[in-house]
Amino acid sequence: MIRFTDATILEETVEENFLIPSEKFRLHNHSDLLSLMDKIVVLPDMIGFLCKVDTSAPSGANQSKREILHICMEEGIILRLTIWDALADSFATKFREIDEKNIVIIATSILPKSFGGKLCLSASSSTKIYLNGDFEVVKDFRARHNVHPEIKDGESKNNDPNEYSIAEILSFIFHEKEHVKEFFCKAKITEVILRNGWNYISCSKYFRKMEKANSSLNCSNCNDSHSVGVLRLEVEGEDTVQDGRDRAPTSILNIVEKTYKFQVKVTPYNFRAKYQSFTVS
């Protein structure tokens, strides 16, 4: 394939048997894809570990079959690539035939788009999917990553055997049978999102929401008008910068840009959910 862009220059040459170097793929990293978002300047290729597949079967005559591929890139960032119709069918067939779990995927000629302000990837009419292809770039990619986003029950590939990456936890959910398991995960908080959270004043003894009665708060469980209230809240972590329009307690905002070790609980819900969220402590 020969690609032309606005920067392409054509010059006549008198040389004969001019050798044009062959190139199977033009791979782009996460930063490259961000810079190409919503710009149809070039259709980039990407490589990564296949962590999860969400299948959406057509519900009507005019509906298209859709597969959403969760791909962990070299930087450890997981992106979603949506493929459709014949390409989705072809992928599903190849995917069923692969018995391995450490799947390296290459997707060519993809469309980097923005959805809800985030980078999402979509297949174009020229997109091709390669799973565990016998290519040098795949061998090099595996060689650079001794840590594959795949774990078995009780097994971690990190230096600390008690710590798992998010990619490893997602791979566990994708490959293992449904059951409850807890992991330790070290992560950096980069944003606190309030629009998906909740908060309330709870009883310090029963952790139930306290109801307002006149000028005080009462717990319906202990019936003690002198119950001590404790603020309980849930917030969502994200990898972008908060714009400051929402307000949160200072103690919560102070955790941004800091690294912590979390205990992540995987429940049967995570094995069925299309959007992954984890409860941590």
Side-chain angles (χ1 to χ4, degrees), residues 191-205:
E191 183 186 6
V192 174
I193 300 177
L194 299 182
R195 61 179 178 270
N196 297 330
W198 46 257
N199 66 84
Y200 63 87
I201 303 296
S202 75
C203 174
S204 59
K205 182 177 180 180

Side-chain angles (χ1 to χ4, degrees), residues 59-87:
S59 57
N62 297 323
Q63 295 289 326
S64 300
K65 180 177 180 180
R66 182 181 65 176
E67 302 270 6
I68 301 178
L69 316 182
H70 299 250
I71 302 174
C72 182
M73 300 194 66
E74 188 155 9
E75 301 89 339
I77 298 173
I78 297 177
L79 296 178
R80 296 191 301 175
L81 170 65
T82 303
I83 58 178
W84 313 84
D85 299 330
L87 183 60

Side-chain angles (χ1 to χ4, degrees), residues 9-196:
I9 299 176
L10 300 178
E11 294 183 356
E12 184 178 357
T13 177
V14 296
E15 296 184 40
E16 296 181 357
N17 300 322
F18 188 80
L19 180 62
I20 301 178
S22 61
E23 182 182 60
K24 289 184 179 295
F25 306 106
R26 183 163 294 182
L27 301 173
H28 290 65
N29 59 28
H30 179 257
S31 298
D32 296 334
L33 296 177
L34 278 176
S35 65
L36 293 171
M37 189 166 59
D38 295 329
K39 300 175 183 176
I40 310 180
V41 177
V42 62
L43 299 179
D45 305 337
M46 69 177 297
I47 186 172
F49 289 109
L50 182 61
C51 295
K52 184 183 178 185
V53 179
D54 293 329
T55 301
S56 177
S59 57
N62 297 323
Q63 295 289 326
S64 300
K65 180 177 180 180
R66 182 181 65 176
E67 302 270 6
I68 301 178
L69 316 182
H70 299 250
I71 302 174
C72 182
M73 300 194 66
E74 188 155 9
E75 301 89 339
I77 298 173
I78 297 177
L79 296 178
R80 296 191 301 175
L81 170 65
T82 303
I83 58 178
W84 313 84
D85 299 330
L87 183 60
D89 289 330
S90 173
F91 166 82
T93 301
K94 294 178 182 177
F95 184 63
R96 285 194 298 267
E97 294 174 350
I98 294 181
D99 193 31
E100 302 174 41
K101 293 184 178 180
N102 287 332
I103 298 177
V104 176
I105 180 173
I106 294 178
T108 68
S109 303
I110 57 177
L111 294 168
K113 298 181 177 180
S114 61
F115 182 77
K118 297 182 180 180
L119 173 63
C120 294
L121 308 175
S122 181
S124 70
S125 58
S126 303
T127 296
K128 294 183 182 296
I129 301 292
Y130 300 93
L131 301 178
N132 284 348
D134 187 19
F135 305 117
E136 286 300 321
V137 291
V138 173
K139 296 176 183 178
D140 293 342
F141 186 81
R142 287 189 182 277
R144 291 195 303 270
H145 297 274
N146 294 323
V147 179
H148 294 263
E150 175 202 353
I151 56 175
K152 296 180 180 179
D153 198 1
E155 177 186 358
S156 173
K157 298 293 193 294
N158 287 337
N159 293 330
D160 186 342
N162 296 318
E163 288 185 8
Y164 296 81
S165 67
I166 292 296
E168 286 179 317
I169 296 174
L170 289 173
S171 182
F172 170 83
I173 293 171
F174 181 58
H175 292 111
E176 298 298 322
K177 293 182 179 179
E178 179 179 311
H179 67 284
V180 176
K181 184 173 176 60
E182 293 186 350
F183 301 89
F184 287 101
C185 176
K186 184 177 289 186
K188 181 179 181 180
I189 305 298
T190 57
E191 183 186 6
V192 174
I193 300 177
L194 299 182
R195 61 179 178 270
N196 297 330

